[in-house]
Amino acid sequence: MKIEAVVNAEIELLTAIKNTNVSVLEKILHEDLLFNLPDGNTITKEFDLASYRSGKMKVDALEASDQIINLIDDTAVVVVTVSLKGAFDNNPINGAFRYIRVWKQFEESLKVIAGSCIQLQ
């Protein structure tokens, strides 16, 4: 696994989130994904995809910065700050969030297997 592949996968993921591209998200997110939200809830791939399909999750603006990538065998751990503006279920989301995402190399591609985010003050 190369850093460039992880950087490109992150760009593909964030672009898919920004454009509500569910087919790309389906491909990138692992079937057994677990993701912790800032409120402490843990969601699955299916929950995440459903929130985009239904229009509950709306992203107006998204910008990533301060990215750190550690490669460990066939796994990459990414820490990144994302400035996000949008809404979930008509509740505004506006602020900076610190994400940690775990990518794993499978035969066909890199997939997100786990993640978590917190809101920065």
Side-chain angles (χ1 to χ4, degrees):
M1 183 186 312
K2 293 189 175 354
I3 292 270
E4 296 78 37
V6 180
V7 169
N8 291 336
E10 277 283 314
I11 291 167
E12 188 180 14
L13 174 69
L14 294 175
T15 303
I17 290 169
K18 200 189 236 172
N19 298 332
T20 315
N21 189 333
V22 175
S23 63
V24 171
L25 293 173
E26 274 177 335
K27 187 184 76 166
I28 290 178
L29 303 179
H30 190 273
E31 289 308 311
D32 296 320
L33 168 77
L34 291 177
F35 190 90
N36 288 330
L37 298 172
D39 65 6
N41 284 313
T42 301
I43 62 167
T44 61
K45 173 182 179 173
E46 203 36 61
F47 182 95
D48 198 29
L49 294 179
S51 68
Y52 286 101
R53 277 193 205 104
S54 68
K56 268 189 179 182
M57 184 67 197
K58 288 183 176 40
V59 176
D60 300 319
L62 179 152
E63 192 176 319
S65 62
D66 304 325
Q67 187 181 63
I68 302 165
I69 300 173
N70 281 354
L71 298 181
I72 306 161
D73 297 325
D74 65 352
T75 306
V77 179
V78 177
V79 177
V80 63
T81 299
V82 175
S83 175
L84 189 60
K85 190 171 167 56
F88 182 78
D89 210 8
N90 296 319
N91 296 311
I93 301 169
N94 192 358
F97 296 84
R98 194 75 172 151
Y99 285 78
I100 187 165
R101 250 190 297 274
V102 183
W103 292 85
K104 183 171 171 47
Q105 180 69 57
F106 291 90
E107 284 175 21
E108 70 282 4
S109 63
L110 279 167
K111 292 186 183 278
V112 180
I113 60 171
S116 186
C117 81
I118 56 166
Q119 185 159 12
L120 302 176
Q121 295 308 318

